Amino acid sequence: MIKHFLSLSSFSQSDLLSLIHRAQFFFQNQHRPENIHHLLKNRIFANVFYEPSTRTRCSFEIAAKRLGADIVNFVPDNSSVKKGETVYDTLKSLESLGVDGLVFRHADDYIIEKLQPLLKLPLINAGAGKFEHPSQGLLDLLTLFQEFGKLEGLKIAVCGDIKHSRVAGSLMVAAKIFGMSIYLCGPESLVPAVTDTHIQKADFDEILPEVDAVMMLRIQLERHENLDLDPKSYHHQFGMNHRRQLSMKKHAIILHPGPFNRGVEISDDMVEHSQSRIFKQMSNGVAARMAILEWTMSGRIQ
Ligand code: CP
């Protein structure tokens, strides 16, 4: 059985909880090679990123290495893509070369759905256009779970360019699975229509004192054709800063998937504030991706 990791929507609550617990195990054991280094020995993954990445690409690479696997970093700009090779032909070639799993990022929302039935090896969605970023979703859930010991009933504000955010896409899927409440905030043109009881629009300043966590999002300039944005005015209306942090509950945390634009959606002093878990999210990214890589290989014969 081929175990693709494409969307959080294909998981039940108990399956996702198992992945979160496994990620927590890896978080606690990542520096104990004697406990984990044998788990994916002799496996080879390929990082295939058609969009830039720092955190996701590097953390999948570190995750693979911590589990004893090798990983090939395919760079489109330095490959036969430059000679006209299609995405399908590239992935099929890596399959033929003997790769065990593909970690794949692309700007197209739908390409992963189209390619998955054509491949005989696990495909891991490392960010698909505006659709979903499920490995980010898992690390966000892990971060919330570590903080609150539960997910059900949590209230989370999401602020920024939600319409173009695959991070928000995965968080909204998770909210339905776990019964979390999501409050969408930001410029009217960047907040999607709401179609679910767990998800509602809200005024950022009004909802902040009510929530357990706030997920700040960057404006995805690469997905806009004409956006007239004044960073100062945006920060004043929708940025996380000292004034807004003071209105939050003392136990509430600040999240951001990165990369962040300091002074736009988040002020410099908030990035490493005591209520910020932004760098914790990144550390958790390695553990979450270890759980994902192991899960995808659990359906394959060595
Ligand atoms: N959060 C995230 O996906 O970051 P990268 O684009 O750097 O991978």
Side-chain angles (χ1 to χ4, degrees), residues 49 52-57 105 126 133 136 166-167 257-259 289:
F49 280 57
S53 168
T54 300
R55 280 147 290 272
T56 311
R57 190 181 60 74
R105 172 175 285 192
H133 191 349
Q136 177 74 42
R166 53 199 178 203
V167 174
R289 287 162 180 138

PDB file of all heavy atoms in Angstrom, residues 49 52-57 105 126 133 136 166-167 257-259 289, ligand 1:
ATOM      1  N   PHE A  49      11.803  20.542  -4.746  1.00  0.00           N
ATOM      2  CA  PHE A  49      11.157  21.821  -4.422  1.00  0.00           C
ATOM      3  C   PHE A  49      11.199  22.748  -5.635  1.00  0.00           C
ATOM      4  O   PHE A  49      12.275  23.195  -6.027  1.00  0.00           O
ATOM      5  CB  PHE A  49      11.850  22.484  -3.218  1.00  0.00           C
ATOM      6  CG  PHE A  49      11.426  21.916  -1.891  1.00  0.00           C
ATOM      7  CD1 PHE A  49      11.562  20.568  -1.613  1.00  0.00           C
ATOM      8  CD2 PHE A  49      10.877  22.727  -0.917  1.00  0.00           C
ATOM      9  CE1 PHE A  49      11.162  20.033  -0.400  1.00  0.00           C
ATOM     10  CE2 PHE A  49      10.467  22.217   0.314  1.00  0.00           C
ATOM     11  CZ  PHE A  49      10.608  20.865   0.571  1.00  0.00           C
ATOM     12  N   PRO A  52      10.932  28.179  -3.477  1.00  0.00           N
ATOM     13  CA  PRO A  52      11.969  28.298  -2.441  1.00  0.00           C
ATOM     14  C   PRO A  52      11.491  27.819  -1.071  1.00  0.00           C
ATOM     15  O   PRO A  52      10.295  27.828  -0.789  1.00  0.00           O
ATOM     16  CB  PRO A  52      12.260  29.805  -2.396  1.00  0.00           C
ATOM     17  CG  PRO A  52      11.667  30.385  -3.625  1.00  0.00           C
ATOM     18  CD  PRO A  52      10.551  29.488  -4.047  1.00  0.00           C
ATOM     19  N   SER A  53      12.435  27.401  -0.252  1.00  0.00           N
ATOM     20  CA  SER A  53      12.113  26.960   1.106  1.00  0.00           C
ATOM     21  C   SER A  53      13.383  26.992   1.952  1.00  0.00           C
ATOM     22  O   SER A  53      14.467  26.666   1.461  1.00  0.00           O
ATOM     23  CB  SER A  53      11.574  25.530   1.070  1.00  0.00           C
ATOM     24  OG  SER A  53      11.520  24.985   2.366  1.00  0.00           O
ATOM     25  N   THR A  54      13.228  27.360   3.197  1.00  0.00           N
ATOM     26  CA  THR A  54      14.326  27.220   4.170  1.00  0.00           C
ATOM     27  C   THR A  54      13.954  26.121   5.160  1.00  0.00           C
ATOM     28  O   THR A  54      14.600  25.071   5.238  1.00  0.00           O
ATOM     29  CB  THR A  54      14.565  28.545   4.936  1.00  0.00           C
ATOM     30  OG1 THR A  54      14.896  29.565   3.989  1.00  0.00           O
ATOM     31  CG2 THR A  54      15.694  28.396   5.944  1.00  0.00           C
ATOM     32  N   ARG A  55      12.872  26.362   5.923  1.00  0.00           N
ATOM     33  CA  ARG A  55      12.497  25.483   7.014  1.00  0.00           C
ATOM     34  C   ARG A  55      12.073  24.085   6.541  1.00  0.00           C
ATOM     35  O   ARG A  55      12.552  23.072   7.043  1.00  0.00           O
ATOM     36  CB  ARG A  55      11.326  26.090   7.820  1.00  0.00           C
ATOM     37  CG  ARG A  55      11.729  27.148   8.798  1.00  0.00           C
ATOM     38  CD  ARG A  55      10.648  28.198   8.922  1.00  0.00           C
ATOM     39  NE  ARG A  55      10.634  28.951   7.679  1.00  0.00           N
ATOM     40  CZ  ARG A  55      11.406  30.037   7.483  1.00  0.00           C
ATOM     41  NH1 ARG A  55      12.150  30.489   8.435  1.00  0.00           N
ATOM     42  NH2 ARG A  55      11.413  30.651   6.312  1.00  0.00           N
ATOM     43  N   THR A  56      11.156  24.022   5.590  1.00  0.00           N
ATOM     44  CA  THR A  56      10.578  22.724   5.219  1.00  0.00           C
ATOM     45  C   THR A  56      11.636  21.822   4.578  1.00  0.00           C
ATOM     46  O   THR A  56      11.794  20.661   4.967  1.00  0.00           O
ATOM     47  CB  THR A  56       9.394  22.943   4.255  1.00  0.00           C
ATOM     48  OG1 THR A  56       8.541  23.942   4.796  1.00  0.00           O
ATOM     49  CG2 THR A  56       8.616  21.664   4.047  1.00  0.00           C
ATOM     50  N   ARG A  57      12.367  22.382   3.618  1.00  0.00           N
ATOM     51  CA  ARG A  57      13.367  21.554   2.921  1.00  0.00           C
ATOM     52  C   ARG A  57      14.446  21.076   3.886  1.00  0.00           C
ATOM     53  O   ARG A  57      14.769  19.886   3.937  1.00  0.00           O
ATOM     54  CB  ARG A  57      13.986  22.326   1.752  1.00  0.00           C
ATOM     55  CG  ARG A  57      14.839  21.462   0.844  1.00  0.00           C
ATOM     56  CD  ARG A  57      15.453  22.255  -0.300  1.00  0.00           C
ATOM     57  NE  ARG A  57      16.317  23.327   0.155  1.00  0.00           N
ATOM     58  CZ  ARG A  57      17.543  23.163   0.659  1.00  0.00           C
ATOM     59  NH1 ARG A  57      18.042  21.943   0.785  1.00  0.00           N
ATOM     60  NH2 ARG A  57      18.253  24.193   1.059  1.00  0.00           N
ATOM     61  N   ARG A 105       7.297  20.153  -3.359  1.00  0.00           N
ATOM     62  CA  ARG A 105       6.657  21.477  -3.225  1.00  0.00           C
ATOM     63  C   ARG A 105       6.511  22.086  -4.610  1.00  0.00           C
ATOM     64  O   ARG A 105       7.444  22.048  -5.426  1.00  0.00           O
ATOM     65  CB  ARG A 105       7.500  22.408  -2.350  1.00  0.00           C
ATOM     66  CG  ARG A 105       6.980  23.834  -2.349  1.00  0.00           C
ATOM     67  CD  ARG A 105       7.727  24.738  -1.387  1.00  0.00           C
ATOM     68  NE  ARG A 105       7.355  24.480  -0.005  1.00  0.00           N
ATOM     69  CZ  ARG A 105       7.682  25.280   1.018  1.00  0.00           C
ATOM     70  NH1 ARG A 105       8.382  26.384   0.795  1.00  0.00           N
ATOM     71  NH2 ARG A 105       7.312  24.995   2.246  1.00  0.00           N
ATOM     72  N   ALA A 126       4.879  19.031   0.512  1.00  0.00           N
ATOM     73  CA  ALA A 126       5.685  19.977   1.309  1.00  0.00           C
ATOM     74  C   ALA A 126       5.262  21.411   1.012  1.00  0.00           C
ATOM     75  O   ALA A 126       6.027  22.352   1.245  1.00  0.00           O
ATOM     76  CB  ALA A 126       7.165  19.775   1.000  1.00  0.00           C
ATOM     77  N   HIS A 133      -0.535  22.739   3.386  1.00  0.00           N
ATOM     78  CA  HIS A 133       0.866  22.519   3.786  1.00  0.00           C
ATOM     79  C   HIS A 133       0.784  21.601   5.014  1.00  0.00           C
ATOM     80  O   HIS A 133       0.971  22.015   6.160  1.00  0.00           O
ATOM     81  CB  HIS A 133       1.485  23.878   4.137  1.00  0.00           C
ATOM     82  CG  HIS A 133       2.968  23.880   4.306  1.00  0.00           C
ATOM     83  ND1 HIS A 133       3.732  22.741   4.386  1.00  0.00           N
ATOM     84  CD2 HIS A 133       3.845  24.924   4.431  1.00  0.00           C
ATOM     85  CE1 HIS A 133       5.002  23.080   4.539  1.00  0.00           C
ATOM     86  NE2 HIS A 133       5.093  24.395   4.572  1.00  0.00           N
ATOM     87  N   GLN A 136       3.426  21.327   7.815  1.00  0.00           N
ATOM     88  CA  GLN A 136       3.363  22.519   8.671  1.00  0.00           C
ATOM     89  C   GLN A 136       2.181  22.382   9.639  1.00  0.00           C
ATOM     90  O   GLN A 136       2.288  22.699  10.825  1.00  0.00           O
ATOM     91  CB  GLN A 136       3.207  23.782   7.808  1.00  0.00           C
ATOM     92  CG  GLN A 136       3.051  25.071   8.593  1.00  0.00           C
ATOM     93  CD  GLN A 136       4.343  25.561   9.236  1.00  0.00           C
ATOM     94  OE1 GLN A 136       5.396  25.514   8.606  1.00  0.00           O
ATOM     95  NE2 GLN A 136       4.280  26.023  10.474  1.00  0.00           N
ATOM     96  N   ARG A 166      -1.541  28.315   2.363  1.00  0.00           N
ATOM     97  CA  ARG A 166      -1.728  26.862   2.508  1.00  0.00           C
ATOM     98  C   ARG A 166      -1.557  26.458   3.980  1.00  0.00           C
ATOM     99  O   ARG A 166      -2.063  25.432   4.403  1.00  0.00           O
ATOM    100  CB  ARG A 166      -0.750  26.125   1.602  1.00  0.00           C
ATOM    101  CG  ARG A 166       0.713  26.520   1.780  1.00  0.00           C
ATOM    102  CD  ARG A 166       1.521  26.106   0.570  1.00  0.00           C
ATOM    103  NE  ARG A 166       2.915  26.483   0.652  1.00  0.00           N
ATOM    104  CZ  ARG A 166       3.687  26.638  -0.408  1.00  0.00           C
ATOM    105  NH1 ARG A 166       3.192  26.471  -1.627  1.00  0.00           N
ATOM    106  NH2 ARG A 166       4.960  26.941  -0.287  1.00  0.00           N
ATOM    107  N   VAL A 167      -0.825  27.282   4.750  1.00  0.00           N
ATOM    108  CA  VAL A 167      -0.689  27.009   6.193  1.00  0.00           C
ATOM    109  C   VAL A 167      -2.062  27.137   6.854  1.00  0.00           C
ATOM    110  O   VAL A 167      -2.492  26.261   7.618  1.00  0.00           O
ATOM    111  CB  VAL A 167       0.318  28.004   6.828  1.00  0.00           C
ATOM    112  CG1 VAL A 167       0.348  27.834   8.343  1.00  0.00           C
ATOM    113  CG2 VAL A 167       1.704  27.811   6.232  1.00  0.00           C
ATOM    114  N   PRO A 257       4.396  30.631  10.739  1.00  0.00           N
ATOM    115  CA  PRO A 257       5.075  29.532  10.058  1.00  0.00           C
ATOM    116  C   PRO A 257       6.444  29.920   9.513  1.00  0.00           C
ATOM    117  O   PRO A 257       7.278  29.058   9.241  1.00  0.00           O
ATOM    118  CB  PRO A 257       4.124  29.192   8.904  1.00  0.00           C
ATOM    119  CG  PRO A 257       3.362  30.463   8.655  1.00  0.00           C
ATOM    120  CD  PRO A 257       3.228  31.122  10.000  1.00  0.00           C
ATOM    121  N   GLY A 258       6.699  31.254   9.374  1.00  0.00           N
ATOM    122  CA  GLY A 258       7.919  31.708   8.720  1.00  0.00           C
ATOM    123  C   GLY A 258       7.813  31.456   7.224  1.00  0.00           C
ATOM    124  O   GLY A 258       7.037  30.608   6.798  1.00  0.00           O
ATOM    125  N   PRO A 259       8.567  32.192   6.413  1.00  0.00           N
ATOM    126  CA  PRO A 259       9.427  33.297   6.823  1.00  0.00           C
ATOM    127  C   PRO A 259       8.592  34.502   7.246  1.00  0.00           C
ATOM    128  O   PRO A 259       7.490  34.676   6.739  1.00  0.00           O
ATOM    129  CB  PRO A 259      10.230  33.613   5.546  1.00  0.00           C
ATOM    130  CG  PRO A 259       9.344  33.167   4.425  1.00  0.00           C
ATOM    131  CD  PRO A 259       8.582  31.992   4.941  1.00  0.00           C
ATOM    132  N   ARG A 289       8.272  16.014  10.942  1.00  0.00           N
ATOM    133  CA  ARG A 289       8.628  15.420   9.635  1.00  0.00           C
ATOM    134  C   ARG A 289       9.276  14.047   9.792  1.00  0.00           C
ATOM    135  O   ARG A 289       9.169  13.204   8.902  1.00  0.00           O
ATOM    136  CB  ARG A 289       9.469  16.421   8.850  1.00  0.00           C
ATOM    137  CG  ARG A 289       8.552  17.553   8.365  1.00  0.00           C
ATOM    138  CD  ARG A 289       9.171  18.814   7.944  1.00  0.00           C
ATOM    139  NE  ARG A 289       8.100  19.737   7.534  1.00  0.00           N
ATOM    140  CZ  ARG A 289       8.066  21.032   7.833  1.00  0.00           C
ATOM    141  NH1 ARG A 289       9.026  21.590   8.546  1.00  0.00           N
ATOM    142  NH2 ARG A 289       7.052  21.780   7.417  1.00  0.00           N
TER     143      ARG A 289
HETATM  144  N1   CP B   1       6.973  27.529   6.866  1.00  0.00           N
HETATM  145  C1   CP B   1       7.544  27.241   5.697  1.00  0.00           C
HETATM  146  O1   CP B   1       6.997  26.504   4.864  1.00  0.00           O
HETATM  147  O2   CP B   1       8.776  27.814   5.512  1.00  0.00           O
HETATM  148  P1   CP B   1       9.677  27.583   4.239  1.00  0.00           P
HETATM  149  O3   CP B   1       8.957  28.216   3.045  1.00  0.00           O
HETATM  150  O4   CP B   1      10.987  28.284   4.538  1.00  0.00           O
HETATM  151  O5   CP B   1       9.847  26.128   4.027  1.00  0.00           O
END
